[in-house]
Amino acid sequence: MLESTVLRVAELPFACLQDLLRRYDLELHRVEDGADIPGSFWGNPEAGVIAHNVYVRDDTPIHSMLHEACHLIVLPPERRALVHTDATDSDIEEDATCYLQILLADLLPGVGRQRLMADMDAWGYSFRLGSTQAWFEQDAGDARQFLAGHGLLELRQSVSCAA
């Protein structure tokens, strides 16, 4: 799979994505095509974060939107309020973010964990076992523990919207 084939924000109903993030008290904002994405750590087209806001363009990969949103989800509210662009400096929070974004992909019609993990690999995510799926299945116990300890493994049902 090539980087250009990853699933993008424009390919899903925006209201569907907003609904998912609102469940975690986050607001999703669409940025105009060609405009810089506020709070983007890696630069366009990667998603950006500022406090409880996630910023995307139509060409933003779904994996990037989910990843940046999950950075905010794993943070306590007092830390979330201080985030601007760089959401964490903690390895366990990074691992928990990656794990949670895979779980949340299952809640989005037309996405799912298999597609998201393939997109993560295509984009260049790097795990010591070689692939996102191998990490998720064999090496992410610390991430699961972190998420369980923060009540984040109990996911709500899928969002309902036309894919």
Side-chain angles (χ1 to χ4, degrees):
M1 179 179 291
L2 299 174
E3 177 181 309
S4 63
T5 64
V6 300
L7 194 60
R8 309 283 176 157
V9 165
E11 297 175 63
L12 293 175
F14 198 74
C16 198
L17 301 173
Q18 286 177 309
D19 178 51
L20 178 63
L21 297 195
R22 282 188 187 125
R23 295 174 182 195
Y24 297 95
D25 298 321
L26 300 177
E27 289 297 321
L28 182 63
H29 303 275
R30 179 182 270 144
V31 177
E32 290 183 33
D33 290 342
D36 285 338
I37 299 174
S40 178
F41 182 81
W42 297 106
N44 304 322
E46 297 278 353
V49 289
I50 301 173
H52 66 279
N53 300 289
V54 179
Y55 298 90
V56 296
R57 293 189 319 207
D58 283 347
D59 63 340
T60 298
I62 292 295
H63 68 79
S64 177
M65 183 214 71
L66 287 172
H67 186 84
E68 296 307 323
C70 289
H71 267 302
L72 298 177
I73 293 168
V74 304
L75 293 176
E78 63 276 4
R79 284 193 46 218
R80 184 187 292 184
L82 302 174
V83 169
H84 192 299
T85 308
D86 191 1
T88 189
D89 56 6
S90 162
D91 288 341
I92 187 57
E93 286 175 0
E94 184 67 35
D95 288 349
T97 291
C98 289
Y99 197 91
L100 185 57
Q101 81 186 83
I102 294 166
L103 295 180
L104 291 184
D106 282 342
L107 302 182
L108 292 171
V111 182
R113 69 180 61 184
Q114 293 302 322
R115 172 61 192 264
L116 193 82
M117 288 189 286
D119 284 1
M120 290 168 71
D121 289 342
W123 201 257
Y125 285 67
S126 176
F127 297 98
R128 66 179 163 212
L129 295 183
S131 74
T132 304
Q133 185 168 351
W135 169 80
F136 183 80
E137 294 174 351
Q138 302 169 36
D139 194 31
D142 58 340
R144 279 191 303 279
Q145 253 184 337
F146 178 94
L147 293 170
H150 289 81
L152 293 171
L153 285 180
E154 303 291 325
L155 301 181
R156 300 179 186 133
Q157 68 185 25
S158 299
V159 294
S160 65
C161 56

